Amino acid sequence: MPTASRDAVSRTTPHDASPPDALPLSPRRRATRARLMAAAEEVFAERGFHGASVEDLCERADFTRGAFYSNFASKDELLLELYAQHAARLHARVAEVAETPGLSLEQVLEAVFDVWTDDPEARRRWHLLTSEFALHALRDDQARVAWANLQRTLREELAEVVDRIAQAQHLRPVVASTELVRLIGIVLHGGLEQHLLDPEAVPPGSLERSFLPLLVRAATDGTAADRAARTDR
């Protein structure tokens, strides 16, 4: 499946930022970027997006500010690329399990839930980080445009997976697949947030498992599936 690339992230960078991506990546520069991003993931997890300064990231990676700014125009850009890579890995796993031949729709959804819930601590960290960045984006117009563009790219990639699953399951979405992906994201992230806020009343994954199948059924036309089931009898 396609994944959000550095080009996709660079399209989300504010227009007045310097474009470090314009230079080809040498092996040394690629290693520098990887170290900065690994350090950023650690520091963001510890201190949050706003609590982590560029100096903190550089200190953790053992680089200078010059090394940082020769690779990233801003902390925003680093976060966007870090999240794009995380989302790409998650999307690849979802596509792999969801497109396994011979699964029923219920089994596909269970496989997606298994991927979604397999690392609770990582889910919590990413939810906190992306929620914080989303609030930052709502207050900063350049960050808002960048975040919205990246989210749009990720939705388009997942929509291709949804289209293939719908075809395999003989389902026909009655809404645009990109909008169905948007709604699925709302259910998944909303369910996670409710669990984090009230873990005793909302067990992990309980809302997602209850409402995602209802959403998928409501957003697709089951006529084709019913017809296929009658044909198989």
Side-chain angles (χ1 to χ4, degrees), residues 12-47:
T12 71
T13 305
H15 294 303
D16 59 352
S18 59
D21 310 81
L23 299 174
L25 284 183
S26 66
R28 180 177 179 180
R29 186 159 177 249
R30 190 176 294 111
T32 299
R33 291 175 68 88
R35 277 178 58 186
L36 284 167
M37 293 177 69
E41 187 165 0
E42 292 178 1
V43 177
F44 285 150
E46 295 169 6
R47 307 181 191 180

Side-chain angles (χ1 to χ4, degrees), residues 4-5 8-9 11-12 79-85 87 133 144-157:
S5 63
V9 174
R11 288 197 299 272
T12 71
L79 184 281
L80 289 167
E81 183 161 341
L82 193 64
Y83 180 69
Q85 291 191 6
F133 189 81
R144 179 188 60 77
V145 172
W147 186 240
N149 286 344
L150 177 57
Q151 293 296 318
R152 184 179 304 111
T153 298
L154 297 174
R155 280 197 303 274
E156 290 170 353
E157 293 170 358

Side-chain angles (χ1 to χ4, degrees), residues 90-108:
L90 184 63
H91 292 182
R93 292 180 60 204
V94 167
E96 181 179 3
V97 299
E99 297 182 70
T100 302
L103 296 184
S104 67
L105 180 60
E106 290 73 19
Q107 290 171 323
V108 167

Side-chain angles (χ1 to χ4, degrees), residues 14 76 134-146:
D76 285 23
L135 289 174
H136 164 61
L138 290 174
R139 296 186 177 98
D140 182 296
D141 194 54
Q142 289 183 331
R144 179 188 60 77
V145 172

